[in-house]
């Protein structure tokens, strides 16, 4: 199914949303910050699940991008902790470990999309567009 969103429409929609990125890799946090900022979007970044829980207790987000491999608590454990309190949040899991078990567990925790590392800006745009298509329906 072709997306109903042009790239301009996608970013206009994303500009109205609050996005949280949880990734322990400083390079990914920096690159994603540059990407979203260049498009005029609001992106908060944190390096750990614990920092994400703190942010989520104080702010409301529309989209969460969470890395699977985090220190102390992985992305799935974080999603499990927030599962009941954040049912409206669109969730994207980022992983270099895209096994069927991880993807299945993620889906069971309400993850809408899974992005496998390494990924490009085009993959991210396509994933966000698909996510918004699903919300639009």
């Amino acid at each position: 199914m072709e997306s109903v969103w042009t790239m301009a429409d996608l970013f206009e929609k994303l500009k109205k949303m609050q996005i949280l990125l949880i990734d322990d890799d400083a390079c990914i946090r920096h690159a994603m910050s540059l990407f979203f900022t260049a498009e005029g979007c609001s992106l908060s970044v944190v390096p750990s699940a614990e920092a994400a829980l703190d942010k989520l207790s104080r702010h409301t987000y529309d989209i969460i991008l969470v890395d699977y491999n985090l220190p102390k608590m992985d992305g799935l454990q974080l999603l499990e902790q927030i599962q009941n309190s954040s049912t409206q949040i669109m969730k994207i899991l980022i992983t270099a470990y895209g096994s069927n078990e991880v993807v299945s567990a993620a889906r069971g925790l309400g993850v809408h999309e899974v992005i496998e590392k390494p990924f490009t800006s085009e993959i991210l745009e396509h994933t966000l567009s698909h996510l918004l298509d699903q919300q639009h329906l």
Side-chain angles (χ1 to χ4, degrees), residues 81-93:
Q81 284 201 15
I82 66 171
Q83 183 177 18
N84 294 327
S85 62
S86 61
T87 55
Q88 300 302 315
I89 298 174
M90 292 176 272
K91 301 167 195 84
I92 299 172
L93 182 70

Side-chain angles (χ1 to χ4, degrees), residues 55-127:
K55 281 268 193 193
L56 288 163
S57 72
R58 296 181 287 118
H59 301 285
T60 302
Y61 292 94
D62 301 295
I63 300 173
I64 294 177
L65 297 134
V66 60
D67 188 24
Y68 170 70
N69 192 21
L70 296 169
K72 297 184 186 174
M73 179 190 314
D74 70 35
L76 291 181
Q77 291 168 321
L78 169 63
L79 291 167
E80 188 171 17
Q81 284 201 15
I82 66 171
Q83 183 177 18
N84 294 327
S85 62
S86 61
T87 55
Q88 300 302 315
I89 298 174
M90 292 176 272
K91 301 167 195 84
I92 299 172
L93 182 70
I94 303 168
T95 182
Y97 310 98
S99 70
N100 289 338
E101 294 82 21
V102 169
V103 172
S104 179
R107 297 279 186 224
L109 293 170
V111 169
H112 300 90
E113 297 288 335
V114 176
I115 297 176
E116 290 194 30
K117 288 182 179 180
F119 61 93
T120 63
S121 60
E122 290 81 15
I123 290 172
L124 181 59
E125 289 169 357
H126 175 76
T127 301

Side-chain angles (χ1 to χ4, degrees), residues 37-51:
T37 301
E39 297 296 342
C41 299
S42 174
L43 177 73
S44 298
V45 297
V46 294
S48 68
E50 295 81 9

Side-chain angles (χ1 to χ4, degrees), residues 8 10 30 35 67 96 111 121 129 133:
L10 170 65
H30 180 70
F35 173 77
D67 188 24
V111 169
S121 60
S129 183
D133 282 348

